[in-house]
Amino acid sequence: MADFDPVTKAVVPAAGLGTRFLPATKATPKEMLPIVDKPAIQYVVEEAASAGLLDVLMVTGKNKRSIEDHFDRAYELEDVLEAKGDEHRLSQVREPASLATLHYVRQGEPKGLGHAVLCAKQHVGDHPFACLLGDDLIDRRDPLLQRMIEVRGAYGGSVIALMEVPREQVSLYGVATIEATGEDDVVKVVDLVEKPPVEEAPSNWAIIGRYVLDPEVFAVLEETPPGRGGEIQLTDALRTLAGRDADKGGPVHGVLFRGRRYDTGDKLDYLRTVVKFAADRPDLAPDFLPWLREFLDEIG
Ligand code: G1P
């Protein structure tokens, strides 16, 4: 039965134009912006790999070649580091190519997240798959994706990740209407709305960028008209699936996430994330944190 089909593939949409980060993203994909010393997208691929998803499809667009280079071998650089005997840097350079098998498909036209996911149809086939959005980083100590895969195994259908956000922020997210199940961290999703005005939001439970999707989502996306912002929205397709029975690709469950999530979507979020990651790094924190305290005192 399809419900017990294991999840082995991950889809990472990385075709956005990165307009919130211009001019840095004029020639560099936003996914390649470093969080301390690693591009954001590497954390995402590491997360997929540590959830056992070793087949990763990136949905890319124009200007994204550096992503492919990053996850490829770099023989020239490796030769130089090898000759110097710099084992540490050598392993850092080799690591991205060893994390997972990367595949690429281009989105062609920027028609929204739902359309980006639809571009994965041929590669994914008739199997459930995970989808990870690069703007959200999940702390490696909080294994959200593993839990979502478990929930898919138990309930079938699709699984989204939900996080409680302050009321004034709901219009930045897809928002869910939920019902309790017998499990503390699992809810049934009965309705969804993409980026509602604050006064129309059905709850404070926001969709964050991790999904485990039933392959039926492709057929639904093909029929989903453009929604919020004139784009084909994944949230709208999930709304359709939430109303369906198991034999038609439903239901949709939510895993309530109470762990550490880092948003890198805009400049302010990005700055916060870099500071938090640096503060957690044993090689940097001992120098960085005293400096940070001093700096904050200085500027009052
Ligand atoms: C996308 C989804 C939205 C979700 C969000 C999470 O929006 O459309 O439902 O809440 O990711 O980060 P975006 O942030 O790409 O506009």
Side-chain angles (χ1 to χ4, degrees):
M1 198 174 123
D3 285 359
F4 299 105
D5 209 356
V7 182
T8 59
K9 291 182 182 175
V11 172
V12 179
L17 295 174
T19 44
R20 286 187 291 179
F21 260 102
L22 284 167
T25 47
K26 184 180 172 197
T28 303
K30 71 169 176 178
E31 293 80 8
M32 287 301 291
L33 295 177
I35 308 297
V36 186
D37 52 6
K38 247 192 243 179
I41 194 90
Q42 187 175 336
Y43 293 98
V44 175
V45 173
E46 285 174 358
E47 184 188 336
S50 65
L53 311 176
L54 301 179
D55 178 314
V56 178
L57 176 74
M58 298 248 178
V59 184
T60 67
K62 267 200 168 43
N63 249 343
K64 304 285 181 170
R65 236 192 44 207
S66 58
I67 299 180
E68 296 188 32
D69 288 341
H70 184 72
F71 289 100
D72 200 355
R73 297 294 297 269
Y75 290 106
E76 229 176 300
L77 184 55
E78 288 178 31
D79 285 349
V80 172
L81 294 170
E82 208 155 18
K84 280 190 187 162
D86 192 339
E87 290 300 322
H88 178 61
R89 290 202 174 89
L90 189 60
S91 76
Q92 285 180 323
V93 163
R94 284 185 176 152
E95 201 194 353
S98 67
L99 290 169
T101 306
L102 271 288
H103 304 268
Y104 301 89
V105 62
R106 281 172 77 116
Q107 191 181 3
E109 302 162 86
K111 293 205 273 186
L113 176 60
H115 180 256
V117 171
L118 190 50
C119 294
K121 179 181 172 182
Q122 202 182 354
H123 180 83
V124 167
D126 196 23
H127 304 284
F129 62 103
C131 175
L132 294 83
L133 308 189
D135 283 351
D136 288 338
L137 299 185
I138 303 296
D139 196 293
R140 63 167 80 220
R141 294 161 289 189
D142 300 316
L144 170 63
L145 197 56
Q146 284 93 319
R147 178 67 183 135
M148 294 173 73
I149 292 170
E150 242 171 63
V151 170
R152 151 78 200 188
Y155 294 88
S158 297
V159 183
I160 60 177
L162 295 170
M163 191 162 183
E164 212 163 11
V165 299
R167 192 77 193 161
E168 64 276 12
Q169 286 177 21
V170 285
S171 54
L172 299 172
Y173 298 93
V175 179
T177 306
I178 57 178
E179 273 172 9
T181 64
E183 291 187 87
D184 219 26
D185 64 334
V186 183
V187 290
K188 186 167 184 342
V189 174
V190 290
D191 204 359
L192 287 164
V193 51
E194 178 69 3
K195 303 196 176 108
V198 173
E199 60 286 1
E200 285 168 33
S203 77
N204 286 19
W205 288 101
I207 304 175
I208 56 171
R210 297 294 177 273
Y211 306 81
V212 175
L213 299 168
D214 188 274
E216 192 60 28
V217 75
F218 295 126
V220 174
L221 282 168
E222 276 165 350
E223 302 293 317
T224 300
R228 183 79 58 197
E231 297 189 333
I232 298 171
Q233 297 293 349
L234 181 57
T235 303
D236 294 343
L238 283 162
R239 178 173 195 252
T240 303
L241 290 174
R244 290 196 179 172
D245 293 331
D247 58 346
K248 297 252 161 40
V252 177
H253 283 85
V255 168
L256 305 183
F257 183 63
R258 299 186 173 93
R260 288 156 282 195
R261 162 181 173 258
Y262 310 96
D263 195 338
T264 63
D266 68 21
K267 292 174 197 180
L268 197 58
D269 293 330
Y270 175 79
L271 285 173
R272 290 188 189 111
T273 302
V274 172
V275 171
K276 283 183 184 168
F277 272 59
D280 248 346
R281 284 270 298 255
D283 56 334
L284 299 172
D287 289 329
F288 179 61
L289 289 179
W291 172 83
L292 186 60
R293 281 191 200 100
E294 222 168 90
F295 177 64
L296 290 175
D297 281 349
E298 219 175 276
I299 58 172

